[in-house]
Amino acid sequence: MALKKSELYSSLWSGCDELRGGMDASQYKDYVLVLLFVKYVSDKYAGVPFAPIMIPPGAGFKNMVALKGKPDIGDQINKKIIGPLANANKLSDMPDFNDATKLGSGKEMVDRLTNLISIFENPALDFSKNRAEGDDILGDAYEYLMRHFATESGKSKGQFYTPAEVSRIMARITGIRDAKTTNNTTVYDPTCGSGSLLLKVGDEAGAKVTLYGQEKDAATSGLARMNMILHNNPTAIIRQGNTLANPLFTDASGRLKTFDYVVANPPFSDKRWSTGLDPANDPHERFEHFGVPPAKQGDYAYLLHIVRSLKSTGKGACILPHGVLFRGNAEADIRRNLIRKGYIKGIIGLPANLFYGTGIPACIVVIDKEDAHTRKGVFMIDAGKGFMKDGPKNRLREQDIHQIVDASIKRLEIPKYSRMVSFGEIEKNEFNLNIPRYIDSQEPEDLQDIEAHLKGGIPKADVDALSSYWSVCPKLRRALFADLRPGYVRLAVDKAAIKPTIYEHPEFARFMTGMEAHFTDWRTKTAATLKALKPGCHPKILIAELGESLLAHYTGKPLIGKYDVYQHLMDYWAATMQDDCYFIAADGWKAETTRIIEKDKKGKEKDKGWICDLVPKFLIVARYFAKEQETITALEAELESLTASITELEEEHGGEDGLFSELDKANKANVTARLREIKGDKEAKDEAATLSAWLKLANDEADRKRMLKEADADLDAKTLAKYPKLTEAEVKTLVVEDKWMAALAAAIHGEMDRISQGLTQRVKELSERYETPLPQAVSKVAELEAKVNRHLQRMGFSWK
């Protein structure tokens, strides 16, 4: 069976366990990633003529395996594997596999490196064939590892990685996906880190574009180079050096090379940006016409480097701290000059705590030189509220990414989210680009109505605020509320009847039925597409097409948000459907079972049953063995009832004086022995009856357990025997209809339930808020006070 993505990830991540403790994540990542790299290039390029990566004789992964257990394994890896491989491919700053301070000395180092190599010997980790061409499962695994390393590296050492979600946004908003690209199209990242952002932009292009990157940190630039190779971009040009002081991409005359696309995630507010550079006499004229950034705030230095590195039609995007939007003095002058030039096309405000090097909120500044002189404004997006918690960091969801990209590319003006801001309005604000000045994303405060608290009644304004529901169900409003006085209504039903009034109302029921039918339409069309999948299909292309079709299908539908529905699809894709599609891409519609064999501490193997990932057992049971399952369910219910009766009997006659206290333990042997003791004793008649009842229940319970075990074993055998008999059509039905579509239907039905519950909860909240007017509350307090005083007087107390 093909290796699942999740299994590949966990297998590689387990490699880190061999290294934890001796060094922090920012260091041990280098060893794991280098081993991944050696394994990959050995599988893919060893013995291949004219390969872009040269594997010197004796420097492949098999040669590394041969070193396992040798006392000088670290030194041999350096000399025979890493050294020759790095020299042949101009890879610098590779980690030292003989460093005793990190890997331990003597046997500790030998064991650690031996175990680490063994992880990569897994036969499933065979990269000689990319089983789903274009989907690059290994590249995704590299990204997975990089994100986990960044998480563990902490604040000071996580900057080598730009979160993949942010990279995907930047790649999309540059417009490279829809542009006419060729091999001559150039993409550049002046602070490329490990190269993830650069690769994401390259992946979006329709052609194999040329990638360029420069990174200041020597070790990280080595990671970037390996990352390019692992993502099948071996010809990408990565150079190591300080981009601002010594930009390494220049033309024949020494001027900065210009590119079609430039993206960057530079260090925030770099206080040493001008080291090695005289900004007033910059030979590359990056600050001419715009201004010199402050000595201890390097954000605009990097942005101006991007502007200077773009062709006259070039497009770019840069991640910067929010301060660049509103800080004054020299930065205000640069900002004003950039706006007047028309170079700033858009601003996207991101949530706080997304990045691994800092917790402060950041923004994406979108640069576009093409037709800059005709630009009339800046398109702004406030996406600061769309995220999920992921451990100590925040993380963008799929729906957040898609909404940002849609709004940016299509220039969608969405209330409280995005709008086009004219240069005139920006000039009135003295060229301050702080997003809250132009987009009020605050949710309206849920105000308390004083008159309603004094006189009772629910404010009409609060009911009007639920207009999205009333537009769908106008008569439902009249069923729930009745006029009380001008501007106020009362609840027309009992508070306990709010939910049934909503759920059973003909308009609401018709709406829910219609939405179910709406999903069924998409389900029917999509099921046909999914059943047509064949080996060699492209899972990433598939999910992109499915996502777009679902979004289009729910566009304009009332109450339910299309991006919320989309998120359910993407969650299920990540959890289950992705692995299934990769399996189909590799092996087709095969329902293969696998035995689960585990070893105990003594090395003895134990059979833990069997599984089938593509077609789980419960799907076979539900479709083919429903009666057998009903029998098992009935037996389980009977067993549960018998167990409860036994427990009830033991509790009734427990305690110190209870008859079961005479027994060391309530079990069949002790109860039977006690019954023999009291046989014929008339005074123990009640005890004998109780113990006999317990014994009958216990025998019945044992009988049901035996029957249940036999029924389970019989069903398991029947189910296992069914798999080889399944036709391809049956497998497709089980996977597409019973598994995928059933799960999505349940998730989207749950979304509809959430919407209806939202209305129920709000109506109930409003009714409870104003159900006791102040005079009534005061009267009630006075009544209770008098009642308390009377009690105190009878007790002989007086508080007056």
Side-chain angles (χ1 to χ4, degrees):
M1 293 177 67
L3 183 68
K4 295 195 294 184
K5 271 193 173 188
S6 55
E7 291 174 353
L8 171 62
Y9 295 166
S10 61
S11 175
L12 297 178
W13 188 240
S14 69
C16 305
D17 291 330
E18 294 297 329
L19 298 170
R20 286 188 183 99
M23 65 197 90
D24 70 25
S26 65
Q27 296 174 320
Y28 68 64
K29 75 176 189 303
D30 300 338
Y31 292 94
V32 175
L33 294 176
V34 165
L35 270 176
L36 175 63
F37 172 77
V38 172
K39 171 64 172 159
Y40 174 77
V41 297
S42 299
D43 285 352
K44 186 153 187 175
Y45 297 121
V48 177
F50 310 109
I53 302 300
M54 185 181 296
I55 313 297
F61 181 74
K62 290 181 180 179
N63 305 106
M64 187 180 284
V65 171
L67 298 174
K68 286 168 55 178
K70 293 188 178 299
D72 58 347
I73 181 173
D75 184 52
Q76 291 296 309
I77 289 175
N78 283 341
K79 291 179 179 177
K80 294 183 177 180
I81 313 294
I82 303 301
L85 195 61
N87 292 333
N89 297 285
K90 299 179 180 178
L91 298 171
S92 58
D93 296 288
M94 302 293 271
D96 180 3
F97 279 79
N98 199 38
D99 189 337
T101 61
K102 295 177 182 178
L103 298 168
S105 58
K107 188 176 184 301
E108 182 183 3
M109 177 187 286
V110 174
D111 290 346
R112 181 168 279 171
L113 290 176
T114 296
N115 293 339
L116 191 57
I117 293 169
S118 297
I119 290 169
F120 291 85
E121 282 188 280
N122 184 341
L125 297 178
D126 181 2
F127 304 125
S128 57
K129 294 180 181 178
N130 198 358
R131 51 185 206 153
E133 200 64 42
D135 286 288
D136 209 349
I137 189 172
L138 180 64
D140 291 344
Y142 188 88
E143 286 290 319
Y144 171 89
L145 290 173
M146 292 297 284
R147 178 164 65 85
H148 278 68
F149 286 134
T151 300
E152 290 203 357
S153 292
K155 244 185 175 184
S156 63
K157 299 173 183 176
Q159 298 96 326
F160 58 80
Y161 178 69
T162 301
E165 296 82 13
V166 180
S167 296
R168 286 167 55 198
I169 290 171
M170 295 179 72
R172 291 290 307 279
I173 62 177
T174 60
I176 195 171
R177 171 182 284 191
D178 301 317
K180 293 181 179 179
T181 54
T182 67
N183 291 350
N184 294 323
T185 302
T186 54
V187 181
Y188 167 55
D189 185 342
T191 57
C192 70
S194 61
S196 59
L197 173 55
L198 187 58
L199 283 164
K200 287 291 188 297
V201 181
D203 287 343
E204 284 293 320
K208 196 75 172 176
V209 297
T210 304
L211 304 180
Y212 298 82
Q214 184 166 339
E215 168 55 37
K216 183 177 181 179
D217 183 79
T220 305
S221 68
L223 289 181
R225 174 65 176 150
M226 288 190 290
N227 201 1
M228 297 297 132
I229 296 168
L230 291 171
H231 278 83
N232 202 27
N233 279 280
T235 58
I237 303 171
I238 304 295
R239 292 179 179 163
Q240 189 266 317
N242 185 326
T243 296
L244 295 180
N246 183 29
L248 296 175
F249 294 105
T250 56
D251 60 22
S253 62
R255 297 173 62 86
L256 283 184
K257 178 178 174 62
T258 55
F259 304 88
D260 297 297
Y261 298 90
V262 181
V263 291
N265 177 18
F268 286 2
S269 303
D270 186 356
K271 291 179 172 54
R272 294 186 291 273
W273 69 270
S274 60
T275 301
L277 171 68
D278 180 4
N281 296 292
D282 177 30
H284 303 291
E285 303 174 347
R286 288 170 287 191
F287 313 123
E288 193 174 335
H289 308 303
F290 296 103
V292 176
K296 295 189 179 296
Q297 294 280 12
D299 300 310
Y300 274 106
Y302 290 100
L303 187 62
L304 292 175
H305 176 84
I306 289 173
V307 169
R308 185 67 183 82
S309 299
L310 282 169
K311 294 180 179 179
S312 60
T313 58
K315 295 162 176 54
C318 184
I319 302 169
L320 294 170
H322 265 291
V324 301
L325 304 178
F326 53 79
R327 291 195 296 247
N329 302 319
E331 291 185 308
D333 293 336
I334 296 171
R335 187 168 59 247
R336 180 174 60 251
N337 291 329
L338 284 168
I339 293 169
R340 284 177 170 168
K341 276 276 193 181
Y343 285 166
I344 298 180
K345 183 180 182 179
I347 301 289
I348 301 170
L350 298 172
N353 203 28
L354 282 183
F355 298 91
Y356 295 97
T358 178
I360 66 173
C363 64
I364 300 174
V365 179
V366 185
I367 302 293
D368 190 350
K369 281 189 174 182
E370 188 171 15
D371 299 325
H373 64 284
T374 65
R375 198 156 285 129
K376 304 296 183 184
V378 176
F379 191 77
M380 294 190 180
I381 298 175
D382 186 348
K385 294 183 178 178
F387 61 89
M388 68 176 184
K389 295 297 295 180
D390 184 18
K393 307 301 292 182
N394 294 332
R395 191 174 175 188
L396 294 170
R397 300 165 296 180
E398 290 295 331
Q399 68 182 84
D400 304 319
I401 298 168
H402 212 297
Q403 188 169 15
I404 291 170
V405 172
D406 280 351
S408 181
I409 296 292
K410 301 172 184 176
R411 291 293 185 262
L412 302 177
E413 298 210 357
I414 303 169
K416 297 185 174 294
Y417 186 78
S418 61
R419 63 177 288 240
M420 175 63 76
V421 182
S422 69
F423 285 153
E425 186 176 352
I426 292 171
E427 188 169 359
K428 285 180 182 178
N429 281 285
E430 299 178 336
F431 295 93
N432 186 316
L433 293 178
N434 198 22
I435 296 174
R437 285 183 177 243
Y438 306 99
I439 300 175
D440 180 10
S441 63
Q442 296 298 313
E443 293 298 324
E445 188 178 352
D446 187 12
L447 299 174
Q448 301 281 335
D449 188 289
I450 296 177
E451 182 179 336
H453 280 299
L454 290 172
K455 298 181 179 180
I458 299 170
K460 249 183 180 176
D462 285 333
V463 178
D464 291 341
L466 298 168
S467 60
S468 59
Y469 289 95
W470 314 139
S471 62
V472 176
C473 309
K475 293 180 181 178
L476 176 59
R477 176 174 181 163
R478 294 194 289 275
L480 289 167
F481 303 102
D483 289 336
L484 182 63
R485 63 179 184 276
Y488 296 85
V489 298
R490 64 176 176 81
L491 195 63
V493 298
D494 187 78
K495 193 165 63 175
I498 292 173
K499 183 174 181 178
T501 300
I502 292 172
Y503 280 67
E504 296 169 13
H505 194 276
E507 288 178 334
F508 192 80
R510 189 161 51 247
F511 169 70
M512 294 292 282
T513 301
M515 292 307 296
E516 287 181 5
H518 188 68
F519 174 74
T520 300
D521 289 343
W522 182 83
R523 174 177 182 161
T524 302
K525 296 173 187 173
T526 305
T529 301
L530 293 172
K531 288 178 182 178
L533 293 177
K534 296 178 180 179
C537 64
H538 297 246
K540 282 187 177 178
I541 295 174
L542 171 67
I543 188 56
E545 292 174 348
L546 290 181
E548 293 305 317
S549 71
L550 190 62
L551 281 168
H553 194 66
Y554 278 88
T555 296
K557 291 299 170 185
L559 297 181
I560 190 166
K562 64 178 182 179
Y563 292 108
D564 293 321
V565 175
Y566 172 78
Q567 186 64 43
H568 286 298
L569 170 63
M570 300 310 291
D571 286 344
Y572 184 64
W573 173 262
T576 301
M577 197 173 170
Q578 173 181 232
D579 281 332
D580 288 348
C581 287
Y582 272 98
F583 176 86
I584 293 165
D587 300 324
W589 297 90
K590 295 179 181 178
E592 298 176 338
T593 57
T594 304
R595 277 284 167 189
I596 304 172
I597 305 296
E598 293 183 0
K599 289 185 178 181
D600 59 20
K601 294 180 179 179
K602 296 180 180 179
K604 186 178 179 181
E605 292 186 345
K606 290 187 177 182
D607 189 339
K608 293 290 186 177
W610 54 272
I611 59 169
C612 178
D613 288 322
L614 186 63
V615 185
K617 176 182 175 180
F618 75 90
L619 295 178
I620 300 289
V621 171
R623 184 167 280 272
Y624 299 105
F625 303 107
K627 288 184 178 180
E628 288 86 343
Q629 183 60 55
E630 286 176 11
T631 300
I632 288 174
T633 302
L635 285 170
E636 288 173 338
E638 290 176 18
L639 180 59
E640 185 178 345
S641 177
L642 288 167
T643 303
S645 296
I646 291 172
T647 302
E648 184 180 347
L649 195 62
E650 290 174 353
E651 289 177 350
E652 183 182 350
H653 297 280
E656 292 183 4
D657 299 325
L659 62 90
F660 284 104
S661 64
E662 300 292 329
L663 307 176
D664 291 336
K665 185 179 181 181
N667 57 33
K668 290 172 71 173
N670 289 338
V671 170
T672 302
R674 179 60 180 166
L675 280 170
R676 288 198 198 98
E677 288 178 21
I678 61 176
K679 186 177 181 181
D681 186 346
K682 293 181 180 180
E683 293 183 1
K685 182 179 179 181
D686 290 342
E687 180 183 357
T690 301
L691 290 176
S692 295
W694 184 96
L695 191 59
K696 183 180 185 309
L697 287 170
N699 286 330
D700 288 345
E701 181 188 44
D703 188 49
R704 295 302 184 281
K705 285 182 178 178
R706 177 186 56 76
M707 293 170 64
L708 183 59
K709 184 177 180 181
E710 291 173 355
D712 272 332
D714 180 62
L715 178 57
D716 189 71
K718 286 181 177 179
T719 306
L720 183 60
K722 181 66 179 176
Y723 278 91
K725 301 174 184 177
L726 291 172
T727 65
E728 184 175 288
E730 287 176 316
V731 173
K732 289 180 177 180
T733 298
L734 286 162
V735 174
V736 176
E737 298 287 358
D738 298 0
K739 186 180 183 182
W740 295 347
M741 288 302 164
L744 291 173
I748 292 173
H749 184 77
E751 185 66 27
M752 295 304 303
D753 283 344
R754 185 185 65 80
I755 292 167
S756 58
Q757 289 166 9
L759 176 60
T760 302
Q761 290 301 318
R762 182 57 176 167
V763 172
K764 184 179 179 183
E765 179 184 28
L766 291 173
S767 69
E768 291 176 344
R769 178 180 294 175
Y770 301 112
E771 68 181 345
T772 308
L774 183 60
Q776 185 179 331
V778 171
S779 175
K780 185 68 175 175
V781 169
E783 181 185 329
L784 291 171
E785 183 182 6
K787 189 175 182 179
V788 170
N789 286 335
R790 287 194 296 272
H791 280 297
L792 289 172
Q793 288 173 1
R794 283 196 294 270
M795 296 169 66
F797 294 98
S798 176
W799 60 277
K800 290 187 178 180

